Amino acid sequence: MASKLQQLQSKASQASQFVAKHGTVYYKQLLEQNKQYIQNPPTVEKCNELSKQLLYTRLASIPGRYEQFWKELDYVKHLWKNRQELRVEDAGIAALFGLECFAWYCAGEIVGRGFTFTGYYV
């Protein structure tokens, strides 16, 4: 057990040394590549202003998304009415979409249970 602990400590030490050596270079490179997105000076007021801009921009996009939702729903209704003319390709895409939705549901359930497959923690 003690040898495993020493190995773990050694690996953790190596990892922290690697991050200390290369982390700042990566950080500076990342900031340099994306300097056009940085707001100067970085103040709390500027952050609050940007968060309000994001909120109201998202709110302003709701009507467009609402219209797009109804267009998509009308398309699905049209496909359902004309399901005799449905191609195998369209049915396959719909089946894959349903499978993806089910997979995301299962992933959410697993995360919600605390990353266990058998049940919830008590």
Side-chain angles (χ1 to χ4, degrees):
M1 180 73 171
S3 66
K4 294 280 186 188
L5 183 59
Q6 288 175 345
Q7 287 177 349
L8 182 63
Q9 287 175 339
S10 172
K11 294 286 184 185
S13 175
Q14 289 174 357
S16 67
Q17 288 173 357
F18 180 81
V19 168
K21 184 178 179 182
H22 300 289
T24 56
V25 173
Y26 175 73
Y27 175 74
K28 288 178 183 176
Q29 180 184 12
L30 185 66
L31 286 180
E32 183 62 32
Q33 288 174 349
N34 296 297
K35 64 183 174 186
Q36 71 269 20
Y37 302 116
I38 297 174
Q39 294 292 320
N40 284 319
T43 61
V44 174
E45 292 82 16
K46 192 64 172 176
C47 290
N48 288 336
E49 179 186 345
L50 289 172
S51 67
K52 284 182 182 180
Q53 285 178 350
L54 177 63
L55 172 70
Y56 290 111
T57 301
R58 294 241 171 122
L59 286 175
S61 71
I62 288 175
R65 289 187 283 157
Y66 183 77
E67 289 175 19
Q68 188 63 32
F69 169 76
W70 287 111
K71 286 179 186 176
E72 292 286 332
L73 189 62
D74 289 339
Y75 177 71
V76 170
K77 287 179 184 178
H78 175 71
L79 282 178
W80 186 252
K81 286 180 186 175
N82 300 322
R83 62 183 174 265
Q84 291 82 15
E85 301 170 8
L86 189 65
R87 300 179 315 201
V88 175
E89 179 182 312
D90 293 334
I93 290 172
L96 284 174
F97 178 72
L99 185 64
E100 182 183 359
C101 289
F102 180 70
W104 280 110
Y105 167 78
C106 290
E109 282 291 311
I110 291 168
V111 168
R113 283 189 230 128
F115 296 98
T116 62
F117 292 101
T118 56
Y120 292 94
Y121 289 123
V122 177

